[in-house]
Amino acid sequence: GEDVEQSLFLSVREGDSSVINCTYTDSSSTYLYWYKQEPGAGLQLLTYIFSNMDMKQDQRLTVLLNKKDKHLSLRIADTQTGDSAIYFCAAPQGGKLIFGQGTELSVKP
Amino acid sequence: DAMVIQNPRYQVTQFGKPVTLSCSQTLNHNVMYWYQQKSSQAPKLLFHYYDKDFNNEADTPDNFQSRRPNTSFCFLDIRSPGLGDAAMYLCATSSEAGGEQYFGPGTRLTVT
């Protein structure tokens, strides 16, 4: 079955770029998703990428997909304190989404 | 705005006292999901409905039940809450199985 892995923590300074990485195992995934969760809140769909793309840009967010290595990354440009949150990548399997463990992003002023 | 609504946002129940959490959606999505999320962990899928078709995860305890009386509403019943059931419960919807999911704000359950 699908297995999704992420590093647990990332700390950056305000204004720097953040890169959050994710690996997955099922190469047949059609879409891959990034969600953001702020403390005490639900998950917010940030962006997604179709499996036949290798890059998608949406304002400050850039998603890179390396299908050969089954590696997905989320780059946040000009990171702000409001970007502090937990970021989950997710891949579909069997009609469900399989979530990574989440990466806690801490942004220091 | 189309959305996923969960009530209440905070629920306190006593050990062993049944509790019901509710979720409603205005997205008219076919699929509704219930997740349990404990601190610093990924959401754990409990079950989902594809329309009226109920799908239980193999490791979801029997203590957890769900009802979906119509497209818009879905309920999570915990028959005899234990201390280990204290968690955030998240409801989500999607237009198709395996598609992007839209989450409600969650209900934080405390068991005393």
Side-chain angles (χ1 to χ4, degrees):
Chain A
E2 179 73 270
D3 191 24
V4 180
E5 300 275 341
Q6 297 178 241
S7 52
L8 295 183
F9 299 101
L10 176 65
S11 180
V12 301
R13 293 227 170 263
E14 193 173 19
D16 288 349
S17 292
S18 308
V19 180
I20 301 170
N21 294 301
C22 172
T23 58
Y24 60 98
T25 55
D26 187 352
S27 57
S28 66
S29 296
T30 50
Y31 286 93
L32 295 154
Y33 302 95
W34 283 103
Y35 284 85
K36 175 184 180 182
Q37 186 176 33
E38 297 183 4
L43 275 68
Q44 173 195 353
L45 178 64
L46 265 185
T47 188
Y48 60 89
I49 189 165
F50 189 51
S51 59
N52 70 353
M53 300 169 69
D54 48 25
M55 186 180 89
K56 178 180 178 181
Q57 188 152 4
D58 183 2
Q59 299 182 339
R60 291 191 299 122
L61 304 178
T62 303
V63 180
L64 295 178
L65 175 60
N66 182 329
K67 283 196 73 176
K68 175 175 165 290
D69 294 339
K70 299 192 185 84
H71 182 268
L72 181 72
S73 67
L74 174 69
R75 178 177 180 269
I76 305 173
D78 187 24
T79 312
Q80 304 297 306
T81 54
D83 295 323
S84 293
I86 299 177
Y87 291 80
F88 293 94
C89 64
Q93 184 196 42
K96 301 177 283 192
L97 284 184
I98 307 300
F99 289 89
Q101 312 96 303
T103 299
E104 183 176 347
L105 175 64
S106 172
V107 183
K108 300 187 187 316
Chain B
D1 282 345
M3 54 199 308
V4 182
I5 302 158
Q6 290 189 245
N7 285 307
R9 293 293 312 279
Y10 301 92
Q11 176 74 57
V12 180
T13 191
Q14 292 177 332
F15 183 95
K17 185 174 180 182
V19 66
T20 294
L21 310 182
S22 75
C23 176
S24 63
Q25 54 133 341
T26 61
L27 296 160
N28 203 33
H29 282 169
N30 285 327
V31 195
M32 294 188 78
Y33 306 82
W34 277 107
Y35 291 88
Q36 179 193 66
Q37 188 181 29
K38 297 191 176 180
S39 188
S40 303
Q41 295 183 20
K44 178 180 181 298
L45 183 64
L46 296 173
F47 21 62
H48 71 280
Y49 278 92
Y50 190 96
D51 198 9
K52 294 181 181 176
D53 182 26
F54 176 71
N55 298 274
N56 198 36
E57 292 301 295
D59 57 355
T60 298
D62 291 341
N63 199 24
F64 291 85
Q65 304 284 319
S66 184
R67 297 170 281 137
R68 188 178 185 186
N70 54 51
T71 300
S72 301
F73 285 87
C74 196
F75 299 98
L76 170 62
D77 300 309
I78 309 177
R79 292 192 297 190
S80 181
L83 298 178
D85 296 327
M88 174 78 94
Y89 289 88
L90 296 166
C91 173
T93 73
S94 68
S95 58
E96 57 184 12
E100 68 265 24
Q101 294 182 15
Y102 295 88
F103 284 78
T107 295
R108 169 73 64 189
L109 179 68
T110 300
V111 182
T112 60

